[in-house]
Amino acid sequence: MTTWSNMSLQDSASPVMEQLIYFHDHTLMIITMILIVVSYMMTMMTFNKYINRYLLEGQMIEVLWTIAPAVILVFIALPSLQLLYLMDEINSPVLTLKTIGHQWYWSYEYSDFTKIEFDSYMTPQNEMNSASFRLLDVDNRIPLPTNMFIRVIITAADVLHSWTIPSIGVKADATPGRLNQVSMSLNRPGLFYGQCSEICGANHSFMPIVIESISMSNFIK
């Protein structure tokens, strides 16, 4: 979900998203190098005038183009596995947020406190002010503290949904009858927007997500 005049990923708001951006750039650099080398070789083979019509095999080049992709895959797989472990669940979260997808809105519960729960609907266009984002703002944002480990438990009440916030690097399916879990930590205050990323019916595009990252003291208040 890019913003205006943005050709790349959103600015990160969590350590996981920072690492995802680094991994994206790392992989893109490898792909660019492969593209340059292959393009150079194809160009040279097309325009040179050297022909060996008795050439039947080239064992050395075949060994090289078998080993080289394996080495390249290792350079991609190692940081990928490291990132997968980083994205794994945390042992002792400070806060647990339960997210429930409905047709077509989200509801949230703060289970650690005295049963705080609320629904979050998209703000209608006739109720928006000049600072609101069309199709992205909601009537009830999700306040969460910064620099704290947060566990999000995600499910659905009717059909498949997907709880997605690109700038935090979080995307998890909301499946009826099943609890999915993701972990995150917000490293800066701000408003972070997301949307349902699983086609869930006629109003699928009208159930946005807004997280409001605030300090711990303000969150407790």
Side-chain angles (χ1 to χ4, degrees):
M1 189 174 74
T2 57
T3 54
W4 296 273
S5 303
N6 189 5
M7 298 296 291
S8 182
L9 301 172
Q10 291 187 12
D11 293 338
S12 66
S14 70
V16 169
M17 189 58 189
E18 285 182 8
Q19 296 301 317
L20 284 170
I21 292 174
Y22 293 150
F23 178 68
H24 169 269
D25 296 342
H26 169 76
T27 309
L28 197 63
M29 181 189 69
I30 293 175
I31 293 172
T32 304
M33 292 170 58
I34 294 171
L35 182 63
I36 292 172
V37 171
V38 172
S39 300
Y40 172 77
M41 293 176 65
M42 290 177 64
T43 304
M44 294 300 295
M45 292 175 65
T46 302
F47 291 102
N48 73 55
K49 298 180 181 179
Y50 300 106
I51 298 173
N52 184 355
R53 60 196 178 109
Y54 298 108
L55 181 64
L56 297 177
E57 62 179 16
Q59 291 186 359
M60 180 59 70
I61 190 66
E62 289 185 4
V63 169
L64 288 177
W65 72 39
T66 302
I67 294 177
V71 174
I72 292 170
L73 287 175
V74 168
F75 277 96
I76 295 175
L78 290 179
S80 175
L81 292 172
Q82 183 181 12
L83 185 55
L84 282 174
Y85 280 105
L86 177 66
M87 296 172 66
D88 201 4
E89 63 183 76
I90 51 180
N91 294 324
S92 53
V94 175
L95 178 69
T96 298
L97 173 70
K98 185 177 181 182
T99 302
I100 305 171
H102 304 267
Q103 287 182 313
W104 288 271
Y105 65 96
W106 297 97
S107 61
Y108 301 97
E109 298 177 7
Y110 290 88
S111 305
D112 298 323
F113 303 103
T114 55
K115 203 61 178 177
I116 300 174
E117 53 184 69
F118 58 91
D119 297 332
S120 180
Y121 290 86
M122 186 187 74
T123 305
Q125 190 166 349
N126 57 356
E127 298 179 10
M128 294 172 61
N129 55 43
S130 58
S132 300
F133 290 115
R134 179 176 173 271
L135 301 180
L136 284 178
D137 263 311
V138 296
D139 55 357
N140 291 314
R141 296 169 178 167
I142 314 163
L144 290 174
T146 57
N147 299 319
M148 298 289 174
F149 290 115
I150 301 165
R151 175 175 56 193
V152 185
I153 297 174
I154 302 163
T155 187
D158 35 49
V159 299
L160 285 174
H161 300 276
S162 185
W163 199 73
T164 307
I165 303 169
S167 59
I168 302 177
V170 169
K171 183 179 187 296
D173 287 340
T175 308
R178 176 173 176 173
L179 296 178
N180 286 333
Q181 177 177 305
V182 294
S183 304
M184 61 184 182
S185 175
L186 307 170
N187 58 12
R188 61 185 174 92
L191 294 176
F192 309 119
Y193 296 88
Q195 289 177 307
C196 176
S197 298
E198 185 75 39
I199 297 177
C200 56
N203 291 333
H204 155 68
S205 57
F206 302 121
M207 46 186 302
I209 305 158
V210 183
I211 285 183
E212 184 174 3
S213 177
I214 55 179
S215 66
M216 191 60 173
S217 58
N218 289 334
F219 175 77
I220 293 173
K221 290 178 184 178

